[in-house]
Amino acid sequence: MQIVKTKRFFATIVLSVALATSASAQTFAVKNNLLYDGAQTPNLGFELKLSDHWTTVLSGGYRPWPTDDHKEKKWRHLLVDWEMKRWFCSTFHRDFIGFNAVYSHYNASKLKFPLGLYPSVKNERRQGDFVAVGAFYGYSWILSPHWSLEALAGVDVGYTWYKRFDCVHCGEYFGKDNKPFLMPKLGINIVYNIK
């Protein structure tokens, strides 16, 4: 039920933005990262053309599941990402490079990340925050006058601070920790361009 409400909320936002900006002279796009959707993280991004070769993006994702605090395996988080993109051809077309800044609040336990990333999260619960900055390369394919598909890959370097607990609900408190980290940045975005 919560999934349906969240999808309706994001659909309402997309529709509202599309209607509010349809008369604008500036180019504006609404996007959704399909990889985040695959990780059950509803997300939405808004991209604004700044000049013939520059755009800026503000996007966010929120994963409130599982809502049952008694489940040991969890990956709840709120993520906000800001990007600046330099397009080599023209905005919203072909290849680009960019840099970004990320903030996230998270609660994770009993997870096994791909490529052996963050191995200690599978044995304890961590609740905390992180900030990161990074760079990426991407490419955008125009599918129709309003739709495009965008792929990007890069790396973020950041710093996280968190509390450590035993995995069970209200588990034993192990202490606080903080450390730098590297994180891959990947995206396959479906983009709706508003002209």
Side-chain angles (χ1 to χ4, degrees):
M1 186 60 139
Q2 184 68 22
I3 295 172
V4 173
K5 288 181 182 178
T6 304
K7 286 182 179 180
R8 285 184 190 157
F9 172 74
F10 280 112
T12 303
I13 289 174
V14 170
L15 184 59
S16 299
V17 170
L19 293 174
T21 60
S22 61
S24 172
Q26 295 179 335
T27 301
F28 185 76
V30 178
K31 57 179 55 188
N32 175 258
N33 187 331
L34 301 174
L35 296 180
Y36 285 179
D37 290 340
Q40 298 178 350
T41 302
N43 67 94
L44 206 55
F46 303 97
E47 187 164 5
L48 179 65
K49 177 180 175 180
L50 301 176
S51 70
D52 288 340
H53 295 282
W54 287 93
T55 60
T56 186
V57 183
L58 182 63
S59 59
Y62 177 58
R63 187 178 198 271
W65 307 288
T67 55
D68 182 358
D69 278 335
H70 295 283
K71 292 197 178 210
E72 288 186 12
K73 185 174 182 179
K74 63 182 70 172
W75 182 27
R76 291 188 276 195
H77 63 276
L78 169 68
L79 182 129
V80 178
D81 187 24
W82 171 76
E83 301 171 354
M84 283 293 291
K85 290 183 184 174
R86 167 60 164 96
W87 297 81
F88 291 106
C89 184
S90 61
T91 54
F92 302 101
H93 180 59
R94 297 181 52 190
D95 54 343
F96 58 86
I97 58 171
F99 60 90
N100 67 302
V102 183
Y103 165 77
S104 180
H105 177 73
Y106 61 90
N107 186 349
S109 67
K110 289 274 189 187
L111 294 177
K112 184 176 180 183
F113 286 95
L115 306 173
L117 294 171
Y118 323 116
S120 59
V121 180
K122 66 182 176 183
N123 299 319
E124 63 186 32
R125 180 170 72 86
R126 292 186 176 180
Q127 183 170 336
D129 301 273
F130 76 76
V131 291
V133 294
F136 55 89
Y137 170 81
Y139 197 92
S140 179
W141 295 269
I142 295 175
L143 303 176
S144 74
H146 288 285
W147 292 96
S148 60
L149 184 67
E150 178 181 279
L152 61 92
V155 66
D156 291 334
V157 59
Y159 192 77
T160 182
W161 58 99
Y162 52 88
K163 295 178 181 175
R164 300 169 49 234
F165 300 88
D166 190 17
C167 284
V168 297
H169 175 66
C170 296
E172 180 185 351
Y173 175 67
F174 293 150
K176 295 181 182 179
D177 205 353
N178 54 67
K179 62 183 175 182
F181 66 92
L182 285 174
M183 178 175 71
K185 178 177 178 64
L186 299 171
I188 298 175
N189 299 317
I190 187 74
V191 181
Y192 181 74
N193 295 296
I194 301 168
K195 306 271 184 189

